[in-house]
Amino acid sequence: MIFDDLGLSPETLKAVHEKGYKEPTPIQAKAIPLIQMTRDVVGLAQTGTGKTASFTLPMIDALSGGRAKMRMPRSLVLAPTRELAAQVAENFDTYGKYHKLNKALLVGGESMIEQKKLLEQGVDVLIATPGRLLDLFERGSILLNDIRILVIDEADRMLDMGFIPDIERIMKLLPSNRQTLLFSATMAPEIKKLTEKFLSNPKSISVAPAASPAKTVEQFLVEIHWKKKQQTLLTLIKQEKVDNAFIFLNRKKDIDTLTSFLKQKGFSAAGLHGDMPQPKRTETLNKFKSNEVTLLVCSDVAARGLDVKGVSHVFNYDVPMSADDYVHRIGRTGRAGEKGRAWMLASNSDEKFLEAIEALIKKKLERVVLTEEKRHEPKGKSTTKDTAPRHQKPKAKANTYKPEPQVVPKDDEIEGDGFGDDVPAFLK
Ligand code: AMP
């Protein structure tokens, strides 16, 4: 199937073609015709399957005919986190560039004055986190009786974050003759109940998860004493030809400590966690996307759904306490069919969590002992190129996914205290 077969408007198709997409993904091929028929839809799909465009594209066309009244948005997309809401908003900008639709992003932490101003002007698409939406509703800044289309994105994440009561409250404030689209990676009983209560004769569709990280991400484990974590991370960054990386930690307070440490070692590192003011979170993420920041030290706020292209590595500085989080974390690399590498640092006390992770991914992670100064390749892969003396190395490496290595550490650095002043320019 090609996009032209889907009955989208010429303007929307033009934006899709400019994005370079050749054909709709399975969720798009299934969802777009149903949404065009104004059916309610329950879409079982994970991030990475193209699900955002599957509702954004038909919504843009459906909304293109009318005009929004002051404070009365015409459609509503609910997303669990500010970052995911911003990602949805970006999709509307990309695919709606040839339409004149007004959009507003209502997320906590941003100035309410600006958000209210936009609402006053009338918005076609309102993208919001549940808390901020209810807040503005209670202040009388927003009326929800003109909502024609409601999207609940990442419903399972909403459930994890305790947002289901808020969603139920919001649903009751909306007109009953709306169209409702709900997307979720899993169908927990609470979500099923929600769909039964608030969706009208929905059509359920599901697609296979996007290539699971197990296929595109090489995964390794280093078992060490917790006191050696910082040094081990430095060694890994040095050996691994890191272009850019998410470094996941379990505790917010440790994020600041590790970020300072990495900065002190000369890296371009920044922290990202839920307690930071929203403008700072947005700025940090943008800097990471533009490669101004190359090491993003973060909590699980960054683990789900965030779509940053070309991330070479994920480091689990802490073993996540939930096995699901492990899968989400490593899925930040190896996206869109690219290859990625994920490393985890584990100490004795992590045994229980590690077992749960290995049970979930149904494989034992490859244990690596960091002794030699070389990039570790999974068993069975040739490492001759990496172990060959540098002056004999061919320019292009046929068995790796990256171009010529960009980190070429000096031989005597490895046991030292990290990079000292000798930090590769691309990481500064
Ligand atoms: P999502 O599942 O919405 O988070 O989308 C995952 C990624 O797939 C995003 O980077 C989109 O830009 C990309 N994408 C969406 N639709 C298509 C398509 N039809 N062909 C190729 N890539 C797509």
Side-chain angles (χ1 to χ4, degrees):
M1 182 186 255
I2 57 169
F3 266 107
D4 300 42
D5 297 335
L6 283 172
L8 294 165
S9 70
E11 293 84 0
T12 303
L13 276 179
K14 190 169 174 212
V16 167
H17 288 314
E18 281 176 17
K19 191 85 176 126
Y21 299 161
K22 304 223 165 17
E23 50 187 44
T25 63
I27 188 78
Q28 290 162 2
K30 286 182 184 177
I32 292 174
L34 292 168
I35 299 172
Q36 287 167 330
M37 285 188 270
T38 66
R39 286 287 303 263
D40 280 8
V41 173
V42 175
L44 215 56
Q46 297 185 336
T47 58
T49 54
K51 75 169 162 59
T52 318
S54 80
F55 63 81
T56 314
L57 297 174
M59 274 177 80
I60 290 168
D61 285 350
L63 294 166
S64 67
R67 246 184 88 90
K69 295 184 206 109
M70 192 175 154
R71 276 187 281 157
M72 293 178 79
R74 298 165 62 214
S75 67
L76 172 63
V77 182
L78 293 173
T81 66
R82 304 158 192 182
E83 279 74 15
L84 288 171
Q87 215 161 272
V88 172
E90 269 172 36
N91 270 258
F92 274 100
D93 286 340
T94 305
Y95 307 125
K97 65 201 259 199
Y98 297 112
H99 286 94
K100 285 200 182 65
L101 292 179
N102 291 336
K103 157 194 114 258
L105 183 61
L106 293 194
V107 292
E110 300 273 11
S111 150
M112 267 208 201
I113 301 169
E114 283 302 309
Q115 297 181 350
K116 277 188 191 166
K117 224 192 270 170
L118 280 173
L119 288 169
E120 292 288 328
Q121 289 161 12
V123 294
D124 300 296
V125 187
L126 180 61
I127 302 146
T129 46
R132 177 52 68 101
L133 180 79
L134 283 171
D135 201 356
L136 279 164
F137 179 82
E138 276 152 17
R139 286 164 198 254
S141 313
I142 189 168
L143 296 165
L144 295 171
N145 16 359
D146 217 17
I147 299 284
R148 283 176 41 206
I149 309 173
L150 167 70
V151 181
I152 301 167
D153 197 15
E154 307 254 333
D156 50 341
R157 181 76 169 136
M158 300 269 200
L159 176 67
D160 290 349
M161 295 174 76
F163 284 152
I164 298 297
D166 281 355
I167 305 267
E168 294 210 358
R169 273 187 65 202
I170 293 169
M171 298 269 221
K172 287 177 189 156
L173 300 170
L174 303 178
S176 54
N177 63 348
R178 60 166 197 272
Q179 180 180 17
T180 307
L181 317 171
L182 178 141
F183 291 87
S184 189
T186 53
M187 195 43 66
E190 293 90 335
I191 296 171
K192 194 157 190 300
K193 239 165 60 200
L194 195 73
T195 63
E196 283 161 4
K197 197 161 160 195
F198 292 105
L199 273 70
S200 142
N201 187 24
K203 176 86 183 139
S204 292
I205 50 177
S206 69
V207 293
S212 74
K215 294 210 182 84
T216 54
V217 182
E218 290 170 348
Q219 302 164 58
F220 308 101
L221 179 77
V222 185
E223 290 170 313
I224 42 151
H225 191 280
W226 63 269
K227 280 189 184 159
K228 294 212 167 128
K229 278 190 175 182
Q230 288 191 343
Q231 180 55 47
T232 306
L233 180 68
L234 280 181
T235 304
L236 278 173
I237 293 172
K238 189 160 134 189
Q239 293 187 3
E240 275 292 299
K241 303 158 199 162
V242 173
D243 290 337
N244 51 358
F246 282 96
I247 303 171
F248 285 103
L249 275 67
N250 291 351
R251 285 165 295 272
K252 286 171 199 159
K253 69 173 174 45
D254 296 343
I255 291 179
D256 292 342
T257 313
L258 185 65
T259 307
S260 306
F261 172 75
L262 290 168
K263 278 183 173 166
Q264 195 199 332
K265 294 288 170 195
F267 291 101
S268 165
L272 185 78
H273 57 74
D275 284 354
M276 284 162 58
Q278 186 56 32
K280 185 79 191 149
R281 276 164 69 167
T282 308
E283 184 195 324
T284 304
L285 196 59
N286 287 342
K287 281 188 178 164
F288 184 60
K289 284 182 177 169
S290 66
N291 238 18
E292 196 182 319
V293 161
T294 49
L295 301 177
L296 193 68
V297 186
C298 49
S299 66
D300 283 294
V301 78
R304 298 212 189 195
L306 280 192
D307 186 34
V308 182
K309 300 251 163 5
V311 173
S312 70
H313 286 75
V314 165
F315 294 102
N316 282 292
Y317 189 80
D318 292 322
V319 175
M321 287 182 262
S322 138
D324 277 350
D325 282 344
Y326 175 78
V327 178
H328 287 294
R329 286 178 179 190
I330 68 166
R332 297 313 98 213
T333 180
R335 291 181 73 75
E338 290 173 355
K339 290 257 162 97
R341 286 165 75 89
W343 286 82
M344 183 148 69
L345 310 187
S347 49
N348 281 347
S349 56
D350 295 318
E351 212 169 300
K352 204 174 73 202
F353 302 124
L354 196 53
E355 268 171 24
I357 290 168
E358 293 186 325
L360 180 74
I361 63 172
K362 296 192 180 71
K363 83 172 198 185
K364 205 151 170 65
L365 290 171
E366 188 178 333
R367 270 70 174 161
V368 177
V369 181
L370 293 178
T371 47
E372 290 175 72
E373 184 196 343
K374 67 173 185 183
R375 177 180 156 104
H376 178 80
E377 296 296 344
K379 285 187 191 115
K381 274 201 179 179
S382 161
T383 55
T384 38
K385 276 172 189 151
D386 277 337
T387 49
R390 270 203 187 85
H391 62 276
Q392 291 178 5
K393 275 193 179 178
K395 274 230 146 57
K397 290 166 64 62
N399 66 336
T400 57
Y401 61 97
K402 290 285 166 211
E404 183 61 7
Q406 290 162 77
V407 183
V408 183
K410 288 192 199 119
D411 289 341
D412 57 351
E413 280 173 12
I414 200 73
E415 297 304 327
D417 191 24
F419 285 104
D421 293 326
D422 188 19
V423 173
F426 76 95
L427 282 172
K428 281 183 181 162

